[in-house]
Amino acid sequence: MSPFVFDKASILERLGGDEEIFVMMVDMFLQDVDRNCQSLREALGDEAAVLQREAHTIKALLATFSDNAGAELAQTLELRAKTGELADAPARVDVLLARVAEVADVLRRLSVG
Amino acid sequence: MHKVLIIDDSEINLTLIRALVIKLGECEPVLFDNPVKALEWCRSNEPDLVIVDYMMPEMDGLRFIAGFRALHGRTEIPVLMITANDQKDVRYEALLGGANDFLTKPIDRIEFSARVRNMLALRTGQKFLADRAAHLANEVAERTREIRDRERELIYRISRAAEFRDPETGAHIQRMAHYSEIIARGLDLDAATCNLILRAAPMHDVGKIGIRDHILLKPGRLTPQEFEIMKQHATLGYELLKDSGSEILQAGAEIALAHHEKYDGSGYPRGLKGSAIPLFGRIVAVADVFDALTSERPYKKAWSLDDAMRFLEDGRGSHFDPLCVEAFLAGWEDVLEVRQRFRDEEVPVI
């Protein structure tokens, strides 16, 4: 998978060019990312519906920052959880978590800098 | 200020939507991360727009919309549901379940603003129409009241016109109308009927307009032929008022025709007996005779209340419907109050 490229122009375009909302979104993402990852990890031991929902949440988070590749990973996991194909779920969760961590890193550097 | 209810279990989405809604201006966002609590809030609060996420734990967007639409007065309020692009089946279901439109995730500000503005414009239109409908209903009620007041006034004035040609006074028609109402209440007639007889009874003698002065105003006793002519006032009054579209005038026609009938069939003009006499006629007969007896006339002194009461009692079953006499006597306190209120020298308007 290609590395996450931070495409501020595309994100801003979706937010109507509003820097203020953009900054707010980055802050929210960083604030919640650990909790979201924790929930996704725990969902592996729960019902498929829970895993489906947590994957869905992550999908929305990544899509907010125009990470199409990451959002696609989350969506695949979400759909497989929905149809009950859970054999490779732990592996998929690991990949997704790594991707979220990568995005978070980029955003963190950005917000510090 | 538009109240915009936003329901999403993801905090980042709540924050984003809230920020976007505030940027639109004229909007007050109300946030819930729990759809069950949001639905509870909707029981006592009326949002102008609902923005609800589809996928939430406990209650998904579809179930929220179903619950929301089931609340009283919430069928028209616009609802936007947030879904991902790939959830086509969910969108169809939401449309059938009462969503007005959709927002796609990730949220795009241009699309978001346009759709929210459209929904709020729809809401503004709805409210305008509702206000206008309420305003018109008020207006109609007000005009109807004015017309009814004018109808009452005209009836009173027509009734006075007949009385002007008669030794009887304006106060007489007021008193006998109120006595009639007292009897109607005593007979347990409903409030609308009691009011109807109060408004219609003053017309009982309106047919006297058609009786020539030398008979109507004759100071002495009428000859049998003259009395036959005098009796025509009942039918004349009926002819004058019948076939009216007004409920009050219709009642007036019935009263004019029937108020000289006697319970034993010896009255006029039709010689009806007992319950064949219209009830309003039986009621007004008691009220009219009582007031005539207890009023002073150029040709007679006023009877005492006791004598008049005895006359009514003696006339039970012959002249009068016994139930009407009973109802009248049962309302004696009110009768005295009416006598006090409408004296012959002063005539307050009904």
Side-chain angles (χ1 to χ4, degrees), chain B residues 58 63 83 106 125 166 169 204 284 292 334-335 344:
Chain B
E58 278 194 77
R63 280 178 53 219
T83 61
D166 200 40
T169 65
H204 66 290
V284 169
D334 295 334
V335 168
D344 277 333

Side-chain angles (χ1 to χ4, degrees), chain A residues 13-18 20-21 24-26 28-29 31-32 35 52-53 56-57 59-61 63-65 75 78-79 82, chain B residues 9-13 15-20 23 53-58 84-87 89-90 105-110:
Chain A
E13 190 194 334
R14 230 181 23 251
L15 298 180
D18 196 313
E20 191 189 329
I21 295 180
M24 198 190 288
M25 290 298 100
V26 173
M28 285 292 293
F29 181 92
Q31 206 176 301
D32 293 346
R35 190 161 47 83
Q52 183 194 343
R53 191 168 55 75
H56 178 85
T57 304
K59 182 179 73 176
L61 282 176
T64 302
F65 294 97
Q75 185 176 347
E78 179 189 345
L79 291 176
K82 190 181 179 183
Chain B
D9 63 319
S10 138
E11 212 171 319
I12 194 164
N13 279 341
T15 307
L16 173 60
I17 297 168
R18 176 178 172 274
L20 293 177
K23 293 267 172 188
D53 187 31
Y54 165 59
M55 193 173 262
M56 293 179 290
E58 278 194 77
N85 261 329
D86 57 326
Q87 294 170 314
D89 50 337
V90 171
K105 274 206 267 196
I107 287 168
D108 176 285
R109 183 170 176 185
I110 303 295

